[in-house]
Amino acid sequence: MQLPLYKILKNGIKVELDYMHPEEQEEVRKLLNVVILEGQTYPQKQPLSPSEFAAYWLTQDAFVVRTAAESATHQAKEILGAFYLRPNFPGRCSHICNAGFIVQPGKRGLGIGRFMGEAMLSIAASLGYEGVVFNLVFATNIASIQLWKSLGFQIIGQIPAAVKLDVQQVDALIMYRGLGDRGSGIGHKLSEQ
């Protein structure tokens, strides 16, 4: 798949989606730490050090959405969002991938998440993955659940009280979508075998 991809956001800003460059890693780590400290979407409780970030985010493919430069004199490109893409399981099950997404708090609602989600599905298919699973979507993360459902994901499981938020425990959802010929199908259910 040819990258970068370009899009005009709802606010008129032109952005590009591309592989993360090494010099962008620290900015993405800081953004992930902001999201972690919000305490609403990621399981970590504390900010990640550079080595912890590398072990968590950089194990396979990592992508960013950044402002697209209008000219050679344009200011430095700002990271608006990021995601990773990697096998969810090893070996015989490595054709199923997992991804994690973050968007700058002040830039949410502009279409960055949808742009990343749509691109991730295309990139995953081009890399040979046959399905995408999200293992731990907090049930309180309504915007993400709605986005993933609109992109063909199905809820295939629920983990009761999996997430300890500051004031409550909430369930976590497991969401799945097949890619390519598998479409959004779930395949053979146990009751069919």
Side-chain angles (χ1 to χ4, degrees):
M1 180 168 186
Q2 187 71 27
L3 295 177
L5 302 174
Y6 296 92
K7 182 172 182 70
I8 305 292
L9 298 178
K10 293 176 184 177
N11 64 358
I13 294 175
K14 184 178 181 182
V15 296
E16 62 186 30
L17 186 147
D18 199 1
Y19 283 98
M20 180 192 306
H21 298 153
E23 65 272 14
E24 296 171 321
Q25 291 177 8
E26 181 59 17
E27 190 173 349
V28 173
R29 182 183 76 88
K30 288 177 181 177
L31 174 56
L32 177 60
N33 284 337
V34 167
V35 173
I36 287 170
L37 290 173
E38 287 176 331
Q40 300 300 309
T41 58
Y42 274 79
Q44 292 88 347
K45 287 185 172 184
Q46 301 297 321
L48 301 182
S49 69
S51 62
E52 291 169 329
F53 171 74
Y56 181 70
W57 200 269
L58 304 177
T59 60
Q60 197 78 26
D61 295 305
F63 304 87
V64 297
V65 171
R66 63 177 83 90
T67 54
E70 298 298 321
S71 69
T73 60
H74 190 268
Q75 61 188 4
K77 297 179 180 182
E78 179 185 9
I79 302 296
L80 306 179
F83 69 96
Y84 64 79
L85 181 65
R86 62 181 177 225
N88 194 59
F89 308 106
R92 291 181 180 93
C93 302
S94 62
H95 60 285
I96 306 297
C97 66
N98 173 259
F101 299 81
I102 52 176
V103 175
Q104 278 198 30
K107 305 295 185 194
R108 294 175 187 158
L110 298 176
I112 297 167
R114 177 169 296 279
F115 181 40
M116 290 192 297
E118 290 170 348
M120 178 275 297
L121 292 171
S122 295
I123 293 167
S126 75
L127 292 173
Y129 291 112
E130 297 177 21
V132 182
V133 65
F134 299 139
N135 303 305
L136 201 67
V137 181
F138 294 9
T140 51
N141 191 351
I142 303 304
S144 287
I145 294 166
Q146 290 174 340
L147 171 62
W148 301 129
K149 283 183 172 181
S150 77
L151 292 177
F153 283 80
Q154 297 177 1
I155 297 171
I156 62 168
Q158 186 165 338
I159 306 167
V163 184
K164 292 182 177 182
L165 299 177
D166 289 336
V167 296
Q168 62 179 335
Q169 280 188 260
V170 299
D171 296 350
L173 306 177
I174 303 167
M175 301 185 78
Y176 176 82
R177 178 185 161 168
L179 299 171
D181 293 340
R182 301 284 308 203
S184 61
I186 301 300
H188 298 289
K189 296 180 181 175
L190 291 175
S191 61
E192 296 173 351
Q193 295 181 356

